[in-house]
């Protein structure tokens, strides 16, 4: 097995023009590596949703990606306010986005559910007042 390819991204807070740059870059990298289109699509959707959440809710954060022979792992971490009720946050349609964010077309409450839907493994660790770490893994088949 070869050593994973590692990529790091910083997502600025409240910068919706730049949110999506990491997922676009990762998508291009995966295509160059010959990762199957179906896996690239799932990874891109999950990571884009995560980027938007970092920008909207956490004041920005960091994404660490490991591209292995069999899977892609993405770890999104922030030092935002944390998620008080993860179970509630995972419900489709639940959102704490501001009216301003919603007016921009974001904050429909599908981010976390879509992140889980498009990944093979999904885990949230969140502490109120400390931040959140989300780990996602997608198999490359």
């Amino acid at each position: 097995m070869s050593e994973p390819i590692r990529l790091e991204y910083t997502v600025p807070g409240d910068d919706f023009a730049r949110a999506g740059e990491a997922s676009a870059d990762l998508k291009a990298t995966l295509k160059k590596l010959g990762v199957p289109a179906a896996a690239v699509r799932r990874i891109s959707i999950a990571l884009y949703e995560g980027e938007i959440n970092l920008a909207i809710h956490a004041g920005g954060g960091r994404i660490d990606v490991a591209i292995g022979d069999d899977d892609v792992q993405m770890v999104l971490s922030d030092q935002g306010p944390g998620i008080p009720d993860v179970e509630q946050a995972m419900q489709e349609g639940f959102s704490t986005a501001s009216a301003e964010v919603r007016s921009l077309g974001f904050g429909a409450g599908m981010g976390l559910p879509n992140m889980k839907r498009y990944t093979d493994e999904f885990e949230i660790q969140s502490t109120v007042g400390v931040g959140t770490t989300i780990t996602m893994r997608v198999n490359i088949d």
Side-chain angles (χ1 to χ4, degrees):
M1 177 171 186
S2 61
E3 194 66 28
I5 296 170
R6 300 196 179 276
L7 304 170
E8 299 175 3
Y9 303 98
T10 300
V11 178
D14 298 321
D15 187 347
F16 301 109
R18 291 194 49 212
E21 288 179 356
S23 56
D25 182 75
L26 181 56
K27 180 179 182 178
T29 299
L30 294 172
K31 285 182 174 184
K32 287 179 190 172
L33 293 171
V35 173
V40 172
R41 179 179 174 274
R42 293 174 60 216
I43 292 162
S44 298
I45 290 169
L47 189 56
Y48 179 78
E49 294 284 12
E51 280 183 88
I52 293 299
N53 278 356
L54 285 171
I56 291 172
H57 300 291
R62 175 185 169 109
I63 301 169
D64 293 291
V65 178
I67 304 168
D69 293 334
D70 301 319
D71 63 10
V72 174
Q73 180 171 303
M74 300 159 280
V75 179
L76 293 73
S77 55
D78 67 63
Q79 295 178 339
I83 303 171
D85 186 338
V86 172
E87 187 175 324
Q88 183 181 37
M90 290 299 300
Q91 300 301 311
E92 291 186 8
F94 177 79
S95 178
T96 58
S98 68
E100 178 185 358
V101 167
R102 289 174 190 247
S103 74
L104 297 172
F106 301 106
M110 293 303 295
L112 291 174
N114 278 338
M115 291 164 73
K116 183 175 182 179
R117 179 177 294 117
Y118 288 102
T119 57
D120 293 301
E121 290 181 17
F122 177 84
E123 180 185 339
I124 298 177
Q125 296 177 331
S126 189
T127 303
V128 174
V130 176
T132 301
T133 299
I134 296 176
T135 304
M136 302 183 286
R137 190 181 60 73
V138 174
N139 295 329
I140 299 173
D141 296 320

